[in-house]
Amino acid sequence: GGTKMTAYTDSLGFNKGSIAYPDTACVYKMEVILDFEEIAAARAAAGATTLTTSDSLQVIQLPANTMILGAGLEVVTAGTVNCDLDFGFVGGTTDLFVTDLPLDTVGIEVAALAAPHIVTADDTIDVTFIAAAPGSAGVVRAFAIVADLN
């Protein structure tokens, strides 16, 4: 039984927009490429301290009221040093998104979050160097999928 319903495809009386993402999209992929050869050279040229074990870099800048749906690191080009990377919040959970991703092996790690993480004040997602300094080789892509709650 039951009456067969018709699935109308017109948009009479309303605007359903196009199949493309709307101009008002509020979910974004934020991405930063860390090329450790360039970073080491730029730090040396600026007279800045060489990165070492337990140091961290603020990588992805988040405005207040951002919901992080997922985040991760991808080693695009392997480095030459046995340095592991954590990705999270210095002053909080430093490995919330990535724990001990080896810089000397091509690979990707993405967080399996039990629930989205919300930052209520401006913050950064940081890369921390575990077990060794990152050295001057390797390329890493840091990324986060975020929603603007403002």
Side-chain angles (χ1 to χ4, degrees), residues 60 68-73 87 97-98 109-113 125 143-145:
I60 297 198
I68 304 162
L69 303 173
L73 296 174
F87 195 45
F97 306 115
V98 172
E109 186 176 330
V110 182
L113 294 178
I125 307 177
F143 59 90
I145 308 302

Side-chain angles (χ1 to χ4, degrees), residues 77-109:
T77 304
T80 54
V81 178
N82 186 16
C83 168
D84 292 339
L85 307 174
D86 281 359
F87 195 45
F89 297 95
V90 169
T93 306
T94 57
D95 62 351
L96 182 63
F97 306 115
V98 172
T99 304
D100 296 343
L101 181 68
L103 177 58
D104 60 355
T105 306
V106 171
I108 189 168
E109 186 176 330

Side-chain angles (χ1 to χ4, degrees), residues 18-33:
S18 69
I19 201 161
Y21 288 110
D23 290 338
T24 56
C26 65
V27 176
Y28 307 94
K29 177 185 77 168
M30 300 175 81
E31 180 175 288
V32 174
I33 301 296

Side-chain angles (χ1 to χ4, degrees), residues 4-146:
K4 182 168 178 6
M5 304 302 275
T6 304
Y8 293 103
T9 58
D10 61 65
S11 56
L12 298 171
F14 68 99
N15 178 8
K16 63 182 175 185
S18 69
I19 201 161
Y21 288 110
D23 290 338
T24 56
C26 65
V27 176
Y28 307 94
K29 177 185 77 168
M30 300 175 81
E31 180 175 288
V32 174
I33 301 296
L34 303 172
D35 181 326
F36 286 104
E37 183 178 1
E38 288 183 14
I39 291 169
R43 292 185 69 80
T49 305
T50 303
L51 296 173
T52 190
T53 308
S54 300
D55 283 353
S56 63
L57 286 176
Q58 294 182 343
V59 177
I60 297 198
Q61 300 187 75
L62 303 171
N65 302 315
T66 296
M67 178 186 290
I68 304 162
L69 303 173
L73 296 174
E74 177 184 14
V75 177
V76 179
T77 304
T80 54
V81 178
N82 186 16
C83 168
D84 292 339
L85 307 174
D86 281 359
F87 195 45
F89 297 95
V90 169
T93 306
T94 57
D95 62 351
L96 182 63
F97 306 115
V98 172
T99 304
D100 296 343
L101 181 68
L103 177 58
D104 60 355
T105 306
V106 171
I108 189 168
E109 186 176 330
V110 182
L113 294 178
H117 184 86
I118 298 174
V119 295
T120 55
D122 290 357
D123 206 342
T124 60
I125 307 177
D126 314 310
V127 171
T128 303
F129 308 111
I130 309 298
S136 59
V139 177
V140 174
R141 182 173 68 98
F143 59 90
I145 308 302
V146 302

